Amino acid sequence: MLACPGLHHEQAEHTYFAARHSDVHHGLRHPDLAVGFPFRATRQLFGPTAIDLDAPRHRPARQQVSWFTTRHMPTWNRTAVIPVIDDLIERAATDTPLDVIKTFAEPLPTRVICRILGLPDHEWPWVWKQLRPVIRHIADPRTGMQAALASRDILSDRLRHAVRTGVPHGSLLQRLCANAPSDSAVDRTAEPIRTALLLLAAGTETTAAAVGNLLWCLQRRPHTWDEVAAGTIPAEAVVTESLRLHPPLHSTVRFARRDLTLGDTAIPKGAQVQLLLAAANRDPARIGASPSWDPHRPPQAHHAFGGGPHACVGAQLALTEMKFLLTALTQRFELAGPTHPAGRFRAGPFHYPTELPVRLIPRTTPA
């Protein structure tokens, strides 16, 4: 598809597919390509939130979820990211084979977002389980809507209970409720609960996928693990290359609000446009002849977190979790390689291995 001029058009689905880096880059920023669509899965599950509102309603909604900027990250690092990573590392201090998806990729972002919101740390397995129907429906809106709505309601009730009984001061749920308009007609917590639900869903699945893909890349290239441990390559460069080559979300959708042109292709009003993030990240016109893994590659912008006005608000949090985890793992463990190849990868827009057994050997002297 990258070699073909213009966008690929699937007439039966009235959908255009953008794969070239330049087309995806402009598509993410095009003022006439909208995210808002009344039957979008996230809209049906969470109501109108920043993820599927367009200007001018998008800006105030985005401010509600903009809690992961450079200004806020020191707080979340101190209270959530570092304590969770330290605990996960201690629990993994064995040289027996373990599944790093279950050991790190799933619990890390779930425990971190629970701590940030103000939910008890020990509830993370329950939260992860309740989110499964929600994530499945978002990944494939044609299936599982009733199960997703039921799980959403259960999670909503848990968040309301937390607000009623008192969430920790300084937690994000407490801050969201404190900032809610005092003149809400029915329930002042309704909007904060919707925002918290969105953050639970968005802050777990994509970061779990990103961590899983990072560890999968390193399992296949143990010399890079050693380079990070020795300090010859920054952990951030390895994280960036993993996100470029294997973004957790492979595509995102937009809708044409009017007739427009993207790249060399005329797109009619009402058409759906799939922006293929993974393909754009591998476009030879952007990164050179070889799109394969190369953490020594000069830093380049990628689309693992989208781009434009709807770029991922939690990108800084995800990057921090991945960078801190990789640094801690390489300092404490040697990578002995896989016990057997990774299992199958999850199909659909969220892309990462379902299991990844490896052997981590505790270092006699931490790096």
Side-chain angles (χ1 to χ4, degrees):
M1 192 179 293
L2 287 170
C4 300
L7 277 62
H8 177 72
H9 180 216
E10 286 288 343
Q11 190 169 0
E13 300 181 8
H14 198 38
T15 300
Y16 292 79
F17 293 86
R20 295 184 301 187
H21 185 278
S22 59
D23 292 336
V24 171
H25 179 84
H26 292 121
L28 290 167
R29 294 159 176 78
H30 201 294
D32 293 326
L33 284 176
V35 298
F37 181 63
F39 298 110
R40 189 167 182 158
T42 49
R43 173 71 69 92
Q44 293 181 316
L45 288 173
F46 307 128
T49 62
I51 199 170
D52 59 3
L53 287 174
D54 294 294
R57 298 176 63 194
H58 173 252
R59 183 179 294 275
R62 189 176 177 88
Q63 290 176 347
Q64 294 294 318
V65 293
S66 296
W67 290 92
F68 306 104
T69 62
T70 303
R71 180 166 66 93
H72 295 103
M73 284 308 302
T75 298
W76 306 138
N77 289 341
R78 183 182 69 254
T79 60
V81 178
I82 294 173
V84 168
I85 289 177
D86 284 346
D87 184 61
L88 292 175
I89 293 291
E90 290 301 320
R91 291 171 183 264
T94 174
D95 62 355
T96 58
L98 52 82
D99 178 5
V100 291
I101 302 300
K102 294 291 187 291
T103 307
F104 298 112
E106 292 177 3
L108 172 57
T110 315
R111 289 180 61 180
V112 165
I113 199 66
C114 282
R115 281 186 172 229
I116 287 174
L117 286 171
L119 296 177
D121 201 18
H122 66 82
E123 289 189 7
W124 85 262
W126 178 84
V127 171
W128 176 267
K129 182 179 179 180
Q130 289 298 329
L131 283 169
R132 295 308 90 209
V134 174
I135 299 300
R136 283 195 292 269
H137 181 61
I138 292 173
D140 186 359
R142 298 168 296 181
T143 61
M145 182 174 181
Q146 293 307 313
L149 291 172
S151 287
R152 177 206 63 186
D153 292 342
I154 292 171
L155 288 165
S156 297
D157 289 344
R158 176 65 188 94
L159 291 167
R160 289 193 180 90
H161 176 74
V163 172
R164 287 197 304 269
T165 56
V167 289
H169 181 76
S171 66
L172 185 50
L173 195 52
Q174 181 265 326
R175 298 185 190 197
L176 289 170
C177 291
N179 290 342
S182 58
D183 59 348
S184 298
V186 179
D187 182 3
R188 185 181 178 185
T189 66
E191 186 172 347
I193 295 299
R194 282 202 305 270
T195 301
L197 280 172
L198 176 64
L199 293 175
L200 274 176
T204 55
E205 188 71 11
T206 52
T207 305
V211 171
N213 291 339
L214 171 66
L215 296 174
W216 181 80
C217 288
L218 289 163
Q219 178 213 47
R220 294 162 60 87
R221 302 163 184 86
H223 64 279
T224 303
W225 182 283
D226 296 334
E227 287 182 299
V228 176
T232 57
I233 185 172
E236 187 171 358
V238 179
V239 168
T240 299
E241 179 66 356
S242 172
L243 287 167
R244 181 199 66 79
L245 190 61
H246 297 288
L249 187 66
H250 270 204
S251 64
T252 188
V253 67
R254 297 289 188 269
F255 305 91
R257 291 196 285 198
R258 55 178 60 88
D259 293 347
L260 59 93
T261 299
L262 183 61
D264 307 321
T265 304
I267 299 174
K269 178 181 178 180
Q272 180 174 278
V273 180
Q274 285 283 351
L275 303 173
L276 306 183
L277 307 175
N281 286 350
R282 304 172 186 180
D283 187 351
R286 173 70 176 180
I287 63 169
S290 175
S292 59
W293 168 270
D294 180 9
H296 296 279
R297 188 188 305 276
Q300 294 186 19
H302 57 73
H303 292 307
F305 296 114
H310 285 89
C312 175
V313 295
Q316 192 60 49
L317 177 62
L319 286 168
T320 301
E321 291 178 54
M322 296 173 71
K323 183 173 67 174
F324 284 14
L325 176 65
L326 177 57
T327 301
L329 284 174
T330 54
Q331 287 178 346
R332 290 287 300 275
F333 299 100
E334 296 178 19
L335 180 62
T339 56
H340 59 77
R344 65 183 179 87
F345 275 70
R346 297 186 188 277
F350 301 110
H351 183 80
Y352 63 107
T354 56
E355 61 177 12
L356 188 61
V358 300
R359 189 163 171 241
L360 299 175
I361 302 176
R363 295 185 186 275
T364 305
T365 303

